[in-house]
Amino acid sequence: QVKLQQSGAELVKPGASVKLSCKTSGYTFSTSYMSWFKQIPGQSIEWIGMIYAGDGGTGYNQKFKGKATLTVDTSSSTAYMDLSSLTTEDSAVYFCATPGSWGQGVMVTVSS
Amino acid sequence: DVVLTQTPSTLSATIGQSVSISCRSSQSLLDSAGNTYLYWYLQRPGQSPQLLIYLVSNLGSGVPNRFSGSGSGTDFTLKISGVEAEDLGVYYCMQATHAPYTFGAGTKLELK
């Protein structure tokens, strides 16, 4: 079945960057789309953007342009999201998701 | 951005009761090709969202048929015909017709 396994929790300092991974299995990664989402605990969900693994084409929520960069490695069926210039407002749970399946989420905490 | 307004924000139900959640959009979700990209998700405590309904009324894989979706244009409804204990959590509608994709604020289903 479809599985999306995300990397572990991150504790990072303000101003730093972090790269999150989402390793997939159970479907044809190279011809699929992957979206990323942000959820502050207790709040609703925001769409960050999506990437098409076939050619690396991306689409971003304007709010996250310059903050998030999406990439893929088709050889390992893994999607990545780089978050840069982190502030406390970036502390949240981040999910990767295909149309029907979501990763387990990864908590990113930005603190000095 | 498209605003999705979910009502009610909290829903108290007994086991076996039928309930409905409304999701109203600030603009039509019907695209030029005749598709309506409206989805429903359930997020149980501490878990990632689970797809329940896609394209307004199509049941997600493995989703019990007590869940049903309906609506068109700007007004959509999720119905649960006979709540079970495992249905407790927060329900979100999401639209993917207009970028950026957006979510409703959520409806928390709890036991009465």
Side-chain angles (χ1 to χ4, degrees), chain B residues 52-75:
Chain B
L52 297 174
I53 301 286
Y54 63 96
L55 300 178
V56 180
S57 59
N58 296 277
L59 212 57
S61 176
V63 176
N65 60 13
R66 63 180 179 275
F67 291 94
S68 62
S70 62
S72 63
T74 60
D75 285 351

Side-chain angles (χ1 to χ4, degrees), chain A residues 45-94:
Chain A
I45 304 167
E46 294 182 279
W47 177 72
I48 295 171
M50 67 191 308
I51 184 166
Y52 178 61
D55 61 8
T58 55
Y60 292 94
N61 184 338
Q62 186 70 29
K63 178 179 178 179
F64 292 94
K65 281 188 175 179
K67 170 63 64 179
T69 302
L70 306 183
T71 57
V72 295
D73 177 358
T74 53
S75 67
S76 64
S77 299
T78 303
Y80 297 95
M81 178 170 69
D82 275 289
L83 297 170
S84 63
S85 303
L86 291 165
T87 72
T88 55
E89 293 185 353
D90 297 315
S91 294
V93 178
Y94 292 87

Side-chain angles (χ1 to χ4, degrees), chain A residues 35 37 39 43-47 50 60-62 95 98-100 102-105, chain B residues 1 39 41 43 46-51 92 94 99-106:
Chain A
S35 279
F37 299 88
Q39 185 176 38
Q43 297 187 20
S44 186
I45 304 167
E46 294 182 279
W47 177 72
M50 67 191 308
Y60 292 94
N61 184 338
Q62 186 70 29
F95 297 97
T98 64
W102 289 56
Q104 81 276 23
Chain B
D1 297 359
Y39 302 79
Y41 292 91
Q43 188 172 32
Q47 296 187 19
S48 53
Q50 171 197 357
L51 178 66
Y92 294 100
M94 185 198 85
Y101 304 166
T102 51
F103 288 78

